[in-house]
Amino acid sequence: MTYLSVAREPIGRFVDAGGDALIAAKCWGLLTGYDARWSGVPFTVQAVETVVSSDLWNPATQAKSRSFRLMGKLDVRGIAPDGRRCIIDHKTCSEDIADPNAPYWRQLIVENQPRHYELLEWLNGRRADYALWDVMRKPAISPKKLTIADAKSAMHTRRYFDYRMTDDDVVSLGSDGRETLRMYSARLAHDCTIERPDHYFQRRPIALLEADLLEHAEEVWSHGQDILIARRANRWLKNPGACMMYGSPCKFLGICSGYDTPESDNWKRRPWMHPELPQNGSDGRDVLTNTRIKSFLTCRKKHYFEYELGIERVDAEDREALVFGVLWHECLEAWWRAQITEEGATDGDTASSPVSAVGTTADTESFAF
């Protein structure tokens, strides 16, 4: 069984559960391109989707926090082709990634997620040499109507790119001239495999500098203190500039604008504040993740609803982009997990130690995929 066939198994489960067929077709086509792009890169996979936790330490005083612990989930940990230890984090985006100087890459330079993961790794006695962004650009192409000539040619040859059409495909194409989802998936696979692989898939190493790591440790401690100050005063300031981030209203906008209340029947309490992580025995208010810190920095009121009250809408429907992102992540998890060997596997045991000296700076100048 190939890595690609294993990676496609989550798509089958998604469709069987009634998932959106167009989202499934996108992931199917993109996985073909992803596998073609990266399967030839030798990588010793040690762990996939590993939950890592640690005590939180003050770098300046070596004091341990009595209020918070750190947690995070690493997408992939392993040994890169050059023999160095690497943390891989998967990303999806809609921006240009082919240009190495594109704004997307500039923003990732200041993204703290890899530093958060490396801090957790270091506190658990492991030291990654660098992190690697594994980015996929979401397709802008969608199922289309073929020209009369192209439709006739496909029906005659029963071939569409590398896909052998079924009788249902031929009948459907003959009735309205539009691609079936299987045909669309084949065209997308051709586009991201043969025509424009650089458009869809890029990897970028991120140096884990000693100074950056120490700075992040200091910042995380400070964010924890700021959360405690807000909690003690029960004062959670709003950020009106964040109400319409990402082109859609914040899910708590109705409460902040006075049209709803947290106590209404529209909301329910979560027993655990971090649905992306397994429960650690508490309700999660004592856990700091990179996602939680970003929420606090974006809007303290939003953070209050998400991580202090822990409320979510009863009738919440996941947006298409979120559903797609979750399925894509599950497929990549399967793709990478299929490559774990007994020799490469490591456990997720946690340890605790204060941040004092982080080690040497990683050299990433000579490394490129």
Side-chain angles (χ1 to χ4, degrees):
M1 183 176 290
T2 65
Y3 300 151
L4 181 58
S5 60
V6 172
R8 284 172 168 167
E9 290 177 358
I11 300 178
R13 294 193 293 269
F14 175 76
V15 173
D16 290 343
D20 188 289
L22 178 56
I23 292 177
K26 288 181 180 179
C27 285
W28 188 279
L30 287 166
L31 277 171
T32 303
Y34 184 89
D35 182 74
R37 176 77 162 165
W38 304 124
S39 61
V41 178
F43 195 96
T44 302
V45 182
Q46 295 178 313
V48 178
E49 294 295 312
T50 304
V51 177
V52 187
S53 65
S54 170
D55 292 316
L56 174 63
W57 298 86
N58 184 338
T61 66
Q62 308 292 294
K64 184 173 72 173
S65 173
R66 293 176 295 178
S67 303
F68 293 113
R69 287 184 57 80
L70 297 179
M71 286 188 74
K73 182 184 286 187
L74 279 61
D75 288 343
V76 181
R77 180 202 297 131
I79 308 299
D82 62 356
R84 288 186 287 174
R85 293 161 294 183
C86 178
I87 297 170
I88 295 181
D89 194 69
H90 307 310
K91 290 286 186 183
T92 61
C93 72
S94 300
E95 294 81 25
D96 173 31
I97 59 175
D99 180 359
N101 296 314
Y104 181 79
W105 295 116
R106 297 182 183 183
Q107 185 274 327
L108 284 186
I109 291 175
V110 299
E111 169 62 54
N112 278 326
Q113 192 167 6
R115 297 174 184 88
H116 192 83
Y117 292 160
E118 169 55 10
L119 178 60
L120 279 164
E121 285 287 89
W122 189 86
L123 290 170
N124 279 276
R126 294 179 291 267
R127 177 72 168 100
D129 294 307
Y130 62 92
L132 188 72
W133 290 119
D134 181 23
V135 183
M136 184 275 291
R137 182 175 180 177
K138 291 181 283 189
I141 63 174
S142 56
K144 68 176 184 178
K145 187 169 185 177
L146 275 62
T147 65
I148 295 176
D150 287 343
K152 287 183 176 180
S153 175
M155 288 187 292
H156 174 72
T157 62
R158 300 179 72 91
R159 300 287 299 185
Y160 194 69
F161 295 97
D162 291 330
Y163 170 62
R164 182 175 295 279
M165 296 168 58
T166 65
D167 291 341
D168 290 341
D169 294 318
V170 174
V171 172
S172 178
L173 183 60
S175 65
D176 62 9
R178 298 191 64 83
E179 292 174 327
T180 64
L181 290 180
R182 286 169 292 193
M183 293 172 64
Y184 162 70
S185 185
R187 178 165 61 90
L188 175 58
H190 180 83
D191 190 30
C192 65
T193 302
I194 305 300
E195 297 293 335
R196 300 185 295 168
D198 290 346
H199 172 88
Y200 288 95
F201 309 112
Q202 292 288 338
R203 287 178 177 174
R204 177 74 64 87
I206 303 294
L208 297 174
L209 305 178
E210 178 178 329
D212 291 341
L213 190 55
L214 285 171
E215 180 182 46
H216 181 68
E218 293 166 353
E219 289 179 352
V220 170
W221 178 266
S222 296
H223 295 324
Q225 295 303 299
D226 289 341
I227 292 173
L228 288 177
I229 291 171
R231 181 184 291 173
R232 290 164 185 159
N234 194 27
R235 184 169 177 80
W236 306 93
L237 303 179
K238 301 184 184 73
N239 175 16
C243 294
M244 293 296 295
M245 287 182 68
Y246 312 113
S248 61
C250 171
K251 56 188 174 183
F252 303 112
L253 181 57
I255 297 177
C256 290
S257 59
Y259 287 87
D260 201 354
T261 67
E263 293 76 26
S264 77
D265 293 337
N266 296 322
W267 303 91
K268 63 181 179 180
R269 295 290 183 99
R270 291 189 310 224
W272 170 243
M273 308 297 170
H274 308 273
E276 76 280 10
L277 298 173
Q279 193 163 356
N280 73 342
S282 69
D283 61 6
R285 294 173 74 242
D286 63 333
V287 170
L288 288 184
T289 65
N290 186 66
T291 302
R292 178 178 184 173
I293 292 171
K294 288 178 69 174
S295 175
F296 182 74
L297 295 176
T298 299
C299 176
R300 296 188 177 195
K301 197 70 171 182
K302 179 176 184 288
H303 167 272
Y304 169 72
F305 292 136
E306 286 188 316
Y307 295 102
E308 294 291 317
L309 283 186
I311 59 173
E312 61 184 2
R313 286 196 66 88
V314 173
D315 58 350
E317 293 185 4
D318 291 333
R319 293 181 299 167
E320 179 181 346
L322 179 60
V323 175
F324 171 83
V326 170
L327 179 58
W328 176 251
H329 203 95
E330 290 177 355
C331 291
L332 292 192
E333 177 185 351
W335 191 87
W336 284 97
R337 195 177 293 280
Q339 302 178 54
I340 296 179
T341 62
E342 291 185 4
E343 294 78 11
T346 61
D347 57 37
D349 290 346
T350 61
S352 300
S353 58
V355 178
S356 54
V358 178
T360 58
T361 300
D363 169 23
T364 62
E365 293 300 322
S366 61
F367 185 85
F369 275 139

